[in-house]
Amino acid sequence: MKFFVDTADIAEIQELASTGLLDGVTTNPSLIAKSGRQFLDVIAEICDIVDGPVSAEVAALDYETMLAEGKKLSKIADNVAVKVPLTWDGLKTCKALSDEGIMVNVTLCFSANQAMLAANAGATFISPFIGRLDDMNLEGMDLIHDIRQIYDNDPDVETAILAASIRTANHVKDSALAGADVATVPPAILKSLVQHPLTDKGIEAFMADWAKTGQKIL
Ligand code: E4P
């Protein structure tokens, strides 16, 4: 499973990209508002830092304006994935943009039927929102399982499942087990994935024993 980071915070993106383990970035209007920066500038800056797909979301709700916004966003850089909401106008925009070879991330997916429509519209990514379903006492992860099975039943589907609205480290692991192709993860959760108390304890013991040898590697 690939890892995207779900943020518009440039410092966080730079830090994670420097590991060489960051495959892409997703943003949304709320994350852009939180950054306090100009949308087009932030997306351009992120695209300079990360080689993988960078999702930039349209703001309009009607097809004509979404299409125009999507085309403008796609011109920022080759790795922009235009993000459109899962509505009929969004799907129509997805079809038009994907027919032109532009990557599209269809967002705000909460049902398997929506995911089927997005695949038929040529979406590069479908974004099922796990955490927001969990918030409603539903089992968000079931949606990832269902979409995986449905997509695997149709050899023509090329859409990648991008697990979104991830709130915990277990969401990341469970998304991978459910067959998600990508997880977009908030920076704090992404950084926490490396942590384990037994790793820390093991390093402490090895370092203490190494010091006793009096040796150096360099
Ligand atoms: C996905 O692309 C969205 O930006 C994001 O995952 C939404 O997460 P939230 O439900 O925590 O806002």
Short mmCIF file of all heavy atoms in Angstrom, two decimals, residues 149-188:
data_model
loop_
_atom_site.label_atom_id
_atom_site.label_comp_id
_atom_site.label_asym_id
_atom_site.label_seq_id
_atom_site.Cartn_x
_atom_site.Cartn_y
_atom_site.Cartn_z
N GLN A 149 -13.71 -5.76 -3.35
CA GLN A 149 -14.30 -6.94 -3.97
C GLN A 149 -14.99 -6.59 -5.29
O GLN A 149 -14.84 -7.28 -6.30
CB GLN A 149 -15.31 -7.57 -3.00
CG GLN A 149 -15.74 -8.95 -3.43
CD GLN A 149 -16.62 -9.63 -2.39
OE1 GLN A 149 -16.55 -9.33 -1.20
NE2 GLN A 149 -17.46 -10.54 -2.84
N ILE A 150 -15.71 -5.48 -5.27
CA ILE A 150 -16.44 -5.06 -6.48
C ILE A 150 -15.46 -4.70 -7.61
O ILE A 150 -15.64 -5.11 -8.76
CB ILE A 150 -17.36 -3.86 -6.15
CG1 ILE A 150 -18.55 -4.35 -5.31
CG2 ILE A 150 -17.84 -3.16 -7.42
CD1 ILE A 150 -19.32 -3.25 -4.63
N TYR A 151 -14.42 -3.97 -7.27
CA TYR A 151 -13.44 -3.59 -8.30
C TYR A 151 -12.72 -4.84 -8.83
O TYR A 151 -12.44 -4.95 -10.03
CB TYR A 151 -12.41 -2.60 -7.73
CG TYR A 151 -12.88 -1.15 -7.67
CD1 TYR A 151 -14.20 -0.78 -7.91
CD2 TYR A 151 -11.98 -0.12 -7.35
CE1 TYR A 151 -14.61 0.56 -7.85
CE2 TYR A 151 -12.38 1.22 -7.30
CZ TYR A 151 -13.68 1.55 -7.54
OH TYR A 151 -14.07 2.86 -7.49
N ASP A 152 -12.42 -5.77 -7.92
CA ASP A 152 -11.71 -6.98 -8.36
C ASP A 152 -12.60 -7.87 -9.24
O ASP A 152 -12.10 -8.68 -10.02
CB ASP A 152 -11.21 -7.79 -7.16
CG ASP A 152 -10.01 -7.12 -6.50
OD1 ASP A 152 -9.46 -6.17 -7.09
OD2 ASP A 152 -9.63 -7.55 -5.40
N ASN A 153 -13.92 -7.72 -9.11
CA ASN A 153 -14.85 -8.50 -9.94
C ASN A 153 -14.89 -8.01 -11.39
O ASN A 153 -15.44 -8.68 -12.25
CB ASN A 153 -16.28 -8.41 -9.39
CG ASN A 153 -16.46 -9.26 -8.14
OD1 ASN A 153 -15.63 -10.11 -7.86
ND2 ASN A 153 -17.53 -9.02 -7.40
N ASP A 154 -14.37 -6.81 -11.62
CA ASP A 154 -14.46 -6.21 -12.96
C ASP A 154 -13.06 -5.92 -13.48
O ASP A 154 -12.41 -4.96 -13.06
CB ASP A 154 -15.27 -4.91 -12.88
CG ASP A 154 -15.47 -4.28 -14.25
OD1 ASP A 154 -14.77 -4.67 -15.21
OD2 ASP A 154 -16.31 -3.37 -14.35
N PRO A 155 -12.57 -6.75 -14.41
CA PRO A 155 -11.20 -6.57 -14.90
C PRO A 155 -10.96 -5.24 -15.59
O PRO A 155 -9.81 -4.83 -15.79
CB PRO A 155 -11.02 -7.74 -15.89
CG PRO A 155 -12.36 -8.31 -16.13
CD PRO A 155 -13.28 -7.88 -15.05
N ASP A 156 -12.04 -4.54 -15.96
CA ASP A 156 -11.87 -3.25 -16.65
C ASP A 156 -11.58 -2.10 -15.67
O ASP A 156 -11.18 -1.01 -16.09
CB ASP A 156 -13.12 -2.89 -17.45
CG ASP A 156 -13.27 -3.79 -18.66
OD1 ASP A 156 -12.23 -4.33 -19.12
OD2 ASP A 156 -14.41 -3.99 -19.13
N VAL A 157 -11.79 -2.32 -14.37
CA VAL A 157 -11.60 -1.22 -13.41
C VAL A 157 -10.11 -0.97 -13.17
O VAL A 157 -9.36 -1.89 -12.84
CB VAL A 157 -12.30 -1.53 -12.06
CG1 VAL A 157 -11.90 -0.50 -11.01
CG2 VAL A 157 -13.81 -1.53 -12.23
N GLU A 158 -9.72 0.29 -13.36
CA GLU A 158 -8.31 0.66 -13.11
C GLU A 158 -8.21 1.65 -11.95
O GLU A 158 -7.11 2.09 -11.61
CB GLU A 158 -7.72 1.29 -14.37
CG GLU A 158 -7.54 0.27 -15.48
CD GLU A 158 -7.01 0.87 -16.76
OE1 GLU A 158 -6.78 2.10 -16.81
OE2 GLU A 158 -6.85 0.11 -17.73
N THR A 159 -9.33 2.01 -11.36
CA THR A 159 -9.35 3.02 -10.29
C THR A 159 -8.68 2.47 -9.02
O THR A 159 -8.94 1.33 -8.62
CB THR A 159 -10.82 3.38 -9.97
OG1 THR A 159 -11.42 3.84 -11.18
CG2 THR A 159 -10.92 4.45 -8.90
N ALA A 160 -7.83 3.29 -8.42
CA ALA A 160 -7.16 2.90 -7.18
C ALA A 160 -8.00 3.32 -5.98
O ALA A 160 -8.61 4.40 -5.98
CB ALA A 160 -5.78 3.55 -7.10
N ILE A 161 -8.03 2.45 -4.98
CA ILE A 161 -8.78 2.76 -3.74
C ILE A 161 -7.85 3.52 -2.80
O ILE A 161 -6.82 3.01 -2.38
CB ILE A 161 -9.29 1.47 -3.06
CG1 ILE A 161 -10.19 0.68 -4.03
CG2 ILE A 161 -10.03 1.80 -1.77
CD1 ILE A 161 -10.61 -0.69 -3.50
N LEU A 162 -8.25 4.75 -2.49
CA LEU A 162 -7.45 5.64 -1.64
C LEU A 162 -8.19 5.81 -0.31
O LEU A 162 -9.14 6.61 -0.22
CB LEU A 162 -7.30 6.99 -2.37
CG LEU A 162 -6.19 7.96 -2.02
CD1 LEU A 162 -6.23 9.16 -2.94
CD2 LEU A 162 -6.19 8.38 -0.59
N ALA A 163 -7.81 5.04 0.68
CA ALA A 163 -8.49 5.12 1.98
C ALA A 163 -8.27 6.50 2.59
O ALA A 163 -7.13 6.93 2.77
CB ALA A 163 -7.97 4.03 2.91
N ALA A 164 -9.36 7.20 2.90
CA ALA A 164 -9.27 8.58 3.40
C ALA A 164 -10.01 8.71 4.72
O ALA A 164 -10.64 7.76 5.19
CB ALA A 164 -9.86 9.53 2.36
N SER A 165 -9.89 9.90 5.31
CA SER A 165 -10.49 10.17 6.62
C SER A 165 -9.98 9.13 7.63
O SER A 165 -10.75 8.51 8.35
CB SER A 165 -12.02 10.14 6.51
OG SER A 165 -12.63 10.59 7.69
N ILE A 166 -8.67 9.00 7.64
CA ILE A 166 -8.00 8.05 8.54
C ILE A 166 -7.75 8.74 9.87
O ILE A 166 -7.22 9.85 9.90
CB ILE A 166 -6.70 7.56 7.88
CG1 ILE A 166 -7.10 6.69 6.70
CG2 ILE A 166 -5.75 6.91 8.87
CD1 ILE A 166 -6.28 5.54 6.37
N ARG A 167 -8.16 8.09 10.94
CA ARG A 167 -8.06 8.75 12.25
C ARG A 167 -7.11 8.04 13.22
O ARG A 167 -6.75 8.59 14.24
CB ARG A 167 -9.45 8.78 12.90
CG ARG A 167 -10.54 9.46 12.06
CD ARG A 167 -10.55 10.97 12.25
NE ARG A 167 -11.39 11.63 11.27
CZ ARG A 167 -12.72 11.66 11.32
NH1 ARG A 167 -13.35 11.09 12.34
NH2 ARG A 167 -13.40 12.29 10.40
N THR A 168 -6.75 6.79 12.90
CA THR A 168 -5.91 6.02 13.83
C THR A 168 -4.89 5.19 13.05
O THR A 168 -5.06 4.93 11.85
CB THR A 168 -6.76 5.01 14.65
OG1 THR A 168 -7.30 4.04 13.73
CG2 THR A 168 -7.90 5.69 15.39
N ALA A 169 -3.86 4.74 13.78
CA ALA A 169 -2.87 3.85 13.16
C ALA A 169 -3.53 2.53 12.74
O ALA A 169 -3.17 1.95 11.72
CB ALA A 169 -1.72 3.59 14.14
N ASN A 170 -4.50 2.07 13.51
CA ASN A 170 -5.20 0.84 13.13
C ASN A 170 -5.98 1.00 11.82
O ASN A 170 -6.11 0.05 11.05
CB ASN A 170 -6.15 0.38 14.25
CG ASN A 170 -5.40 -0.40 15.32
OD1 ASN A 170 -4.29 -0.86 15.09
ND2 ASN A 170 -6.00 -0.52 16.48
N HIS A 171 -6.49 2.21 11.57
CA HIS A 171 -7.15 2.45 10.29
C HIS A 171 -6.17 2.19 9.13
O HIS A 171 -6.57 1.70 8.08
CB HIS A 171 -7.61 3.91 10.19
CG HIS A 171 -8.98 4.17 10.77
ND1 HIS A 171 -9.41 5.44 11.09
CD2 HIS A 171 -10.01 3.35 11.05
CE1 HIS A 171 -10.64 5.37 11.55
NE2 HIS A 171 -11.03 4.11 11.55
N VAL A 172 -4.90 2.55 9.34
CA VAL A 172 -3.90 2.37 8.27
C VAL A 172 -3.70 0.87 8.01
O VAL A 172 -3.81 0.39 6.88
CB VAL A 172 -2.55 3.03 8.66
CG1 VAL A 172 -1.51 2.79 7.58
CG2 VAL A 172 -2.75 4.53 8.91
N LYS A 173 -3.44 0.13 9.09
CA LYS A 173 -3.21 -1.32 8.95
C LYS A 173 -4.45 -2.01 8.36
O LYS A 173 -4.35 -2.84 7.45
CB LYS A 173 -2.89 -1.91 10.33
CG LYS A 173 -2.68 -3.41 10.31
CD LYS A 173 -2.73 -4.01 11.70
CE LYS A 173 -4.15 -3.99 12.25
NZ LYS A 173 -4.30 -4.62 13.57
N ASP A 174 -5.62 -1.65 8.89
CA ASP A 174 -6.85 -2.31 8.43
C ASP A 174 -7.15 -1.97 6.96
O ASP A 174 -7.71 -2.79 6.23
CB ASP A 174 -8.03 -1.95 9.34
CG ASP A 174 -7.88 -2.56 10.73
OD1 ASP A 174 -7.10 -3.53 10.87
OD2 ASP A 174 -8.51 -2.07 11.68
N SER A 175 -6.79 -0.76 6.54
CA SER A 175 -6.98 -0.39 5.13
C SER A 175 -6.13 -1.27 4.23
O SER A 175 -6.58 -1.74 3.18
CB SER A 175 -6.61 1.08 4.89
OG SER A 175 -7.47 1.93 5.58
N ALA A 176 -4.89 -1.50 4.67
CA ALA A 176 -3.99 -2.36 3.88
C ALA A 176 -4.55 -3.79 3.83
O ALA A 176 -4.56 -4.43 2.77
CB ALA A 176 -2.59 -2.34 4.48
N LEU A 177 -5.03 -4.28 4.97
CA LEU A 177 -5.59 -5.64 5.01
C LEU A 177 -6.83 -5.74 4.13
O LEU A 177 -7.10 -6.79 3.54
CB LEU A 177 -5.95 -6.02 6.45
CG LEU A 177 -4.76 -6.37 7.36
CD1 LEU A 177 -5.22 -6.47 8.82
CD2 LEU A 177 -4.12 -7.69 6.92
N ALA A 178 -7.58 -4.66 4.05
CA ALA A 178 -8.82 -4.66 3.26
C ALA A 178 -8.54 -4.49 1.77
O ALA A 178 -9.46 -4.57 0.96
CB ALA A 178 -9.76 -3.57 3.76
N GLY A 179 -7.28 -4.21 1.43
CA GLY A 179 -6.92 -4.15 0.01
C GLY A 179 -6.90 -2.75 -0.58
O GLY A 179 -6.90 -2.60 -1.81
N ALA A 180 -6.84 -1.72 0.27
CA ALA A 180 -6.70 -0.36 -0.28
C ALA A 180 -5.36 -0.25 -1.00
O ALA A 180 -4.38 -0.87 -0.59
CB ALA A 180 -6.78 0.67 0.85
N ASP A 181 -5.33 0.52 -2.08
CA ASP A 181 -4.09 0.71 -2.83
C ASP A 181 -3.23 1.79 -2.19
O ASP A 181 -2.00 1.77 -2.30
CB ASP A 181 -4.40 1.11 -4.27
CG ASP A 181 -5.23 0.05 -4.99
OD1 ASP A 181 -4.67 -1.01 -5.29
OD2 ASP A 181 -6.44 0.27 -5.19
N VAL A 182 -3.91 2.77 -1.58
CA VAL A 182 -3.25 3.93 -0.99
C VAL A 182 -4.00 4.29 0.29
O VAL A 182 -5.22 4.08 0.37
CB VAL A 182 -3.33 5.17 -1.93
CG1 VAL A 182 -2.44 6.29 -1.43
CG2 VAL A 182 -3.03 4.84 -3.37
N ALA A 183 -3.29 4.84 1.26
CA ALA A 183 -3.97 5.46 2.41
C ALA A 183 -3.46 6.89 2.50
O ALA A 183 -2.24 7.11 2.38
CB ALA A 183 -3.67 4.72 3.70
N THR A 184 -4.37 7.86 2.65
CA THR A 184 -3.92 9.22 2.90
C THR A 184 -4.08 9.49 4.39
O THR A 184 -5.16 9.32 4.95
CB THR A 184 -4.62 10.26 2.00
OG1 THR A 184 -3.96 11.52 2.22
CG2 THR A 184 -6.12 10.38 2.25
N VAL A 185 -2.96 9.85 5.00
CA VAL A 185 -2.86 9.81 6.46
C VAL A 185 -2.43 11.17 7.00
O VAL A 185 -1.49 11.78 6.47
CB VAL A 185 -1.80 8.73 6.85
CG1 VAL A 185 -1.79 8.52 8.35
CG2 VAL A 185 -2.05 7.42 6.12
N PRO A 186 -3.09 11.67 8.06
CA PRO A 186 -2.63 12.93 8.67
C PRO A 186 -1.17 12.78 9.14
O PRO A 186 -0.77 11.67 9.57
CB PRO A 186 -3.59 13.13 9.85
CG PRO A 186 -4.79 12.31 9.52
CD PRO A 186 -4.28 11.14 8.72
N PRO A 187 -0.39 13.88 9.10
CA PRO A 187 1.04 13.78 9.42
C PRO A 187 1.33 13.11 10.77
O PRO A 187 2.23 12.27 10.85
CB PRO A 187 1.51 15.24 9.43
CG PRO A 187 0.52 15.98 8.62
CD PRO A 187 -0.78 15.24 8.69
N ALA A 188 0.60 13.47 11.80
CA ALA A 188 0.90 12.93 13.14
C ALA A 188 0.73 11.41 13.16
O ALA A 188 1.54 10.70 13.75
CB ALA A 188 0.00 13.59 14.18
#
